[in-house]
Amino acid sequence: MSKIEGKIKSTIFYNETNGFLVALFRVHKSTITDIVNKTITITGNLLDLKMETTMYLDGEFIKHEKFGLQFKFSSYEYIIPSEEEDIISFLSSSFIKGCGKATAKKIVTLYGNKCIDIIKENKYALDEIEGMTSSKRDKIYDSIINYSKSSDIILKLQKIGFSIEEAGKIYLKYKGNLEDILNHNIYLLNEIIDFKRLDILFLNNGADKLDKRRVKACILESMKAISNNNGDIYYPMSDVYDVLMKLFNISIDFETYLDYLKELEQELFVVIDNNNCYLQNNYEDEISIATFLKKIDSKEIKKVNYDKEIEELEKKLNIIYNGEQKKAITNALNNNITIISGGPGTGKTTIINAIVKIYMAKNRLDGLSALENIALLAPTGRASQKMSSATGLNASTIHRFLKWNKETNSFGINENYRNPQKLIIVDEVSMIDNALFASLLKGINNYVQLILVGDVFQLPSVGPGYILNDLINSELFTYIPLNYIYRQSENSYIPYLAREIKNKDLSEEFITKKDDYNFLNISNKDILNTIIKIIEVGVSKGYDENNLQVLAPKYKGENGIDNLNMVLRDIFNPSKQKSITYGDITYKVGDKVLQLVNNADNLVFNGDIGFIIDIKNNFLNKKEVIIIDFAGTIVNYEKKDLKDLRHAYAITIHKSQGSEFDHVIMPITFEYGNMLYNKLLYTGVSRAKKSLLLIGDANAFYRGIYNDYGNNRHTTLEERLKDIFYT
């Protein structure tokens, strides 16, 4: 590790979000004498950029093949000057408010080169300066404290054990409150730093495992674990205690646990109601959803007969709507809130297009004015693209619509700054959790017409809540179920199989080959090799990874996604290309990849699929850059970002929600255990547009259809809705 002292003279590149800096640095002191009084390039993360200010940098010298000697720093510290002339210059600089050169000279004359330390210890020492006012005194003191505080806090964070990147995120998020958090409870940083990381640092810094702060943090983490695993909004108090014991091996008696739980309630982290407990935000989200829906549903709306408009649209589009579809179109245009739910082949997308076309004609909207009045939304990029293709209008993910900020995990569109659209159609509502739905309702006006479209029989959201199910069960909103299936051919079967799974009434047809479907009933040990052979034949006939998708429930095991991806990549992308390894996975140019988390900054979202188009070095920081094309959206990733990706030749059925694929292959085996259940099988089957091939054990498939695992979630939204609507 080396140290240099000097000043930043100019910046080449600076990212205010994460503090990454490339700059020219004038070296005053260094162990390498050749660079003293010379300017070199520095790179690193600096959260509080101050130009022309003396600072220490800790790091290492690197030799860039193109730009020569550089210094990559890992920590920094601003230096308050010690020489009297330098102190006068510092005090009279733009960093210190309320202090001109004359005042600076008076301060140094009276207190010498220790004057800054004296002022920091006692601001009233400034009252001894001739002509000093209380206002000037406070400005000078506050400026000196603020100047030194940022680097002090960054240093403190690093001493605790946080990396410079973590310290940067923490500082940018909390700033003024950070000192108090670090002194009292670092678990409060859990909003942006992983709990396990905080727990390790807390214990590494000498804290006891049964420290009350830790136990209370573990209680909250136990509640989050139940929500993440089960989708629950509330939990019996005894269940949380059991999870606390199991996850963290914390030996406290139940009475002490209840005392801590009550303290968490007083601190507004949890809500306790009838021996059940909620995380505060989950509780508030349910109330918020019910409150905003009541406001939207309260306005009067004039009922109109749309038979003529529907008939004209049928002629224009050369289409015939069935009775269910006409009812859905008319009700959506005549009500404040409408729910439309149907399985594959029932025409949901066709209905959305009709609603948009008739609304635009009625309100005389063209392309530009339509965007100002209509919002088409979905939880995933692929689902929004499908809406856009069907209607000819731009559609958006909900996160993008609400201007999600990844760094702060907050939305720029909210109850204080709402989007103005008057008609909002949301597709794939079954995928939306409580938190996202609450945020959406806060970001739209009460005068909107809200149309919620989805498939109530699909998998529920990954996050906690059961939105579509609870809204329908409340019986408070206009609800149109779609049951009629448009047959693709006389011998088509996919949508009918989906219905049979939904109804738990599997016919013998499921083992009969159809135009769009086949079930290969083979043993577990033969599944992988059979998939390989079928895909090899498909590739030889012109099929590729763009139109063929393997879906499975689990990552691990012989027929799990990880193993499937390893063998399938070699079939679809066998050529030797530039590659990069992250952990035990190697990615190369041409690979098909799946985004695992939302990345609003790059307009890429959880479930989006892309292709690696290049891997190269960034000339500024020498880091490898992975360039990925997500259906026209080009994103540059660094190696550390690969944690947010997986190969996508095989993906989970959960991740496939909101997407459709021309040809789907699904392995079926008892190896998947409880993950082979009704809603999961229904969702997987309904992803296939043109053909579906099931490979494996017919008995496992049959048993999975009657397995209701994952169906029940603890929520109280239905109850909240009825309370608010009926009072």
Side-chain angles (χ1 to χ4, degrees):
M1 208 64 149
S2 300
K3 177 178 283 191
I4 59 175
E5 177 187 322
K7 295 180 180 180
I8 295 173
K9 305 299 289 184
S10 64
T11 60
I12 298 172
F13 174 81
Y14 184 60
N15 185 330
E16 293 185 0
T17 302
N18 60 23
F20 180 71
L21 170 78
V22 181
L24 296 179
F25 188 83
R26 186 72 171 180
V27 180
H28 298 164
K29 296 179 182 178
S30 172
T31 52
I32 299 179
T33 56
D34 288 350
I35 66 169
V36 174
N37 295 324
K38 293 182 180 178
T39 300
I40 66 169
T41 302
I42 61 169
T43 65
N45 290 79
L46 191 148
L47 277 303
D48 194 15
L49 177 61
K50 295 181 176 76
M51 304 293 293
E52 290 289 346
T53 304
T54 304
M55 61 195 305
Y56 287 127
L57 299 178
D58 280 310
E60 58 183 353
F61 290 98
I62 58 174
K63 189 77 171 178
H64 193 284
E65 58 188 30
K66 185 175 180 181
F67 298 100
L69 186 68
Q70 294 185 346
F71 189 79
K72 183 179 180 181
F73 65 91
S74 56
S75 65
Y76 65 91
E77 180 181 0
Y78 287 113
I79 305 168
I80 293 180
S82 57
E83 300 296 329
E84 291 187 359
E85 282 301 319
D86 289 338
I87 294 172
I88 292 171
S89 297
F90 169 71
L91 288 173
S92 57
S93 72
S94 60
F95 299 120
I96 308 301
K97 307 299 181 185
C99 188
K101 196 157 190 175
T103 302
K105 285 181 178 179
K106 291 177 184 178
I107 293 171
V108 173
T109 299
L110 182 61
Y111 292 120
N113 59 9
K114 298 289 186 183
C115 62
I116 292 175
D117 290 334
I118 291 170
I119 294 168
K120 286 171 68 176
E121 290 175 9
N122 178 17
K123 72 175 181 178
Y124 296 106
L126 287 168
D127 289 340
E128 301 298 321
I129 305 301
E130 182 185 349
M132 185 63 61
T133 64
S134 60
S135 175
K136 283 176 64 175
R137 175 198 67 208
D138 291 344
K139 286 180 181 178
I140 294 170
Y141 173 78
D142 290 343
S143 297
I144 291 173
I145 293 300
N146 289 335
Y147 181 89
S148 59
K149 184 179 284 187
S150 63
S151 56
D152 289 346
I153 289 176
I154 295 296
L155 285 172
K156 187 170 184 177
L157 286 165
Q158 288 184 283
K159 286 177 181 176
I160 290 172
F162 292 105
S163 69
I164 185 69
E165 289 82 6
E166 290 171 331
K169 287 182 181 178
I170 293 167
Y171 178 75
L172 289 170
K173 171 75 175 176
Y174 296 99
K175 286 189 178 175
N177 300 323
L178 194 48
E179 197 75 46
D180 189 54
I181 291 172
L182 295 181
N183 289 335
H184 294 98
N185 189 358
I186 69 168
Y187 288 104
L188 296 175
L189 302 175
N190 190 209
E191 188 177 346
I192 58 172
I193 302 295
D194 180 70
F195 173 84
K196 290 181 180 178
R197 176 84 172 126
L198 291 174
D199 200 35
I200 290 169
L201 293 178
F202 186 74
L203 296 173
N204 284 351
N205 280 273
D208 188 270
K209 286 186 177 181
L210 293 180
D211 185 295
K212 182 190 283 192
R213 292 168 294 180
R214 180 175 187 265
V215 176
K216 287 164 68 174
C218 289
I219 291 172
L220 293 175
E221 196 63 18
S222 298
M223 295 171 74
K224 291 176 186 176
I226 299 173
S227 280
N228 291 335
N229 291 333
N230 303 339
D232 293 339
I233 294 296
Y234 72 86
Y235 342 88
M237 289 191 288
S238 58
D239 286 4
V240 178
Y241 180 74
D242 291 342
V243 173
L244 177 69
M245 299 296 106
K246 183 178 179 180
L247 278 185
F248 301 103
N249 195 26
I250 291 178
S251 299
I252 58 170
D253 59 73
F254 193 73
E255 291 304 314
T256 302
Y257 156 74
L258 290 179
D259 289 341
Y260 287 170
L261 201 57
K262 288 174 183 175
E263 287 184 22
L264 287 167
E265 183 180 34
Q266 292 166 358
E267 294 163 359
L268 303 181
F269 286 108
V270 305
V271 174
I272 300 173
D273 184 13
N274 293 326
N275 292 320
N276 294 320
C277 47
Y278 301 72
L279 288 166
Q280 181 80 24
N281 59 325
N282 286 344
Y283 182 85
E284 291 176 354
D285 283 341
E286 284 196 335
I287 294 174
S288 175
I289 289 168
T291 302
F292 280 106
L293 288 176
K294 174 68 181 294
K295 289 178 180 178
I296 292 171
D297 204 47
S298 295
K299 70 181 188 298
E300 290 187 14
I301 188 168
K302 184 181 178 182
K303 306 291 183 183
V304 176
N305 187 321
Y306 285 100
D307 289 350
K308 182 179 178 181
E309 286 82 356
I310 292 173
E311 185 178 336
E312 289 176 353
L313 190 61
E314 285 180 320
K315 292 177 181 176
K316 183 178 179 180
L317 299 179
N318 192 26
I319 192 173
I320 297 176
Y321 300 109
N322 66 36
E324 287 179 345
Q325 291 175 320
K326 289 179 181 179
K327 183 179 179 181
I329 295 164
T330 300
N331 275 279
L333 292 164
N334 272 333
N335 286 281
N336 296 315
I337 300 172
T338 306
I339 302 170
I340 301 169
S341 176
T346 55
K348 297 189 295 296
T349 304
T350 302
I351 291 169
I352 291 173
N353 185 39
I355 293 167
V356 169
K357 294 289 190 293
I358 293 173
Y359 186 88
M360 287 179 65
K362 175 190 173 187
N363 293 281
R364 298 178 181 177
L365 303 176
D366 57 20
L368 182 61
S369 58
L371 292 175
E372 296 171 349
N373 288 273
I374 302 171
L376 304 178
L377 307 176
T380 69
R382 293 175 75 89
S384 67
Q385 288 166 12
K386 182 182 173 185
M387 295 178 78
S388 185
S389 298
T391 61
L393 293 180
N394 284 339
S396 169
T397 63
I398 297 171
H399 280 81
R400 185 178 181 185
F401 176 75
L402 296 177
K403 299 188 186 304
W404 180 59
N405 184 309
K406 180 182 178 182
E407 297 296 327
T408 60
N409 192 27
S410 62
F411 294 104
I413 300 297
N414 50 51
E415 60 266 49
N416 300 316
Y417 184 66
R418 293 173 171 162
N419 272 328
Q421 287 83 1
K422 297 176 183 177
L423 176 71
I424 294 180
I425 305 177
V426 189
D427 198 7
E428 298 289 354
V429 177
S430 66
M431 297 177 64
I432 301 174
D433 62 27
N434 265 36
L436 185 57
F437 194 58
S439 295
L440 174 61
L441 294 178
K442 289 174 185 175
I444 61 179
N445 283 290
N446 298 333
Y447 55 68
V448 301
Q449 284 182 263
L450 181 63
I451 301 166
L452 304 174
V453 183
D455 185 348
V456 73
F457 296 101
Q458 275 193 54
L459 288 167
S461 59
V462 174
Y466 214 176
I467 291 295
L468 189 57
N469 187 79
D470 288 346
L471 294 180
I472 292 170
N473 286 346
S474 73
E475 299 182 344
L476 292 168
F477 310 104
T478 301
Y479 170 49
I480 312 298
L482 304 174
N483 297 302
Y484 181 82
I485 295 172
Y486 283 87
R487 184 184 290 271
Q488 302 299 312
S489 74
E490 285 301 315
N491 200 33
S492 64
Y493 184 55
I494 294 172
Y496 296 95
L497 175 61
R499 176 184 286 177
E500 290 175 8
I501 294 170
K502 176 184 73 176
N503 295 333
K504 298 180 184 175
D505 186 20
L506 195 62
S507 70
E508 293 182 2
E509 295 290 307
F510 91 94
I511 54 172
T512 305
K513 191 177 186 305
K514 304 289 184 180
D515 288 347
D516 60 353
Y517 168 82
N518 197 11
F519 194 122
L520 297 182
N521 192 14
I522 60 175
S523 66
N524 179 67
K525 64 181 178 62
D526 294 326
I527 290 175
L528 183 60
N529 285 333
T530 303
I531 290 175
I532 291 170
K533 289 176 183 176
I534 288 170
I535 289 180
E536 285 176 339
V537 171
V539 169
S540 70
K541 292 183 177 180
Y543 292 97
D544 60 28
E545 60 269 53
N546 287 295
N547 52 34
L548 197 157
Q549 186 63 57
V550 177
L551 303 179
K554 292 177 70 174
Y555 284 103
K556 304 304 178 186
E558 181 185 4
N559 296 304
I561 287 162
D562 289 340
N563 196 42
L564 284 165
N565 269 319
M566 191 166 61
V567 296
L568 295 179
R569 196 275 293 272
D570 290 339
I571 299 173
F572 284 114
N573 190 20
S575 59
K576 292 183 178 179
Q577 298 273 8
K578 286 184 285 186
S579 64
I580 184 170
T581 300
Y582 182 82
D584 58 355
I585 302 175
T586 297
Y587 297 92
K588 62 181 179 178
V589 173
D591 278 356
K592 181 181 180 181
V593 292
L594 174 77
Q595 179 75 17
L596 299 176
V597 298
N598 291 326
N599 187 337
D601 291 343
N602 289 319
L603 303 180
V604 178
F605 298 90
N606 183 2
D608 284 352
I609 291 175
F611 290 86
I612 298 175
I613 58 177
D614 200 3
I615 299 172
K616 61 185 182 181
N617 283 329
N618 184 329
F619 74 92
L620 287 177
N621 58 17
K622 291 191 69 177
K623 291 182 178 179
E624 288 178 294
V625 177
I626 304 92
I627 304 172
I628 305 176
D629 181 356
F630 288 96
T633 299
I634 308 299
V635 182
N636 290 355
Y637 283 52
E638 292 184 3
K639 186 173 181 178
K640 63 182 177 61
D641 299 320
L642 292 176
K643 69 181 184 301
D644 298 334
L645 296 175
R646 276 186 185 268
H647 281 111
Y649 302 102
I651 64 174
T652 65
I653 296 171
H654 276 93
K655 292 294 184 186
S656 74
Q657 279 188 275
S659 302
E660 287 184 332
F661 309 98
D662 285 348
H663 309 284
V664 169
I665 296 175
M666 283 176 55
I668 305 291
T669 167
F670 280 114
E671 174 190 320
Y672 297 142
N674 240 1
M675 288 304 293
L676 213 60
Y677 60 96
N678 184 278
K679 284 204 169 188
L680 185 119
L681 289 171
Y682 174 87
T683 302
V685 164
S686 60
R687 298 308 90 201
K689 287 171 63 178
K690 295 181 179 179
S691 76
L692 171 67
L693 176 61
L694 304 182
I695 301 176
D697 192 327
N699 290 323
F701 184 68
Y702 193 84
R703 182 180 295 182
I705 287 169
Y706 293 91
N707 176 12
D708 286 329
Y709 171 79
N711 256 8
N712 299 316
R713 290 188 167 194
H714 291 145
T715 69
T716 40
L717 178 58
E718 182 183 338
E719 177 185 323
R720 307 281 177 224
L721 285 163
K722 290 177 178 177
D723 286 346
I724 288 176
F725 270 70
Y726 294 142
T727 55

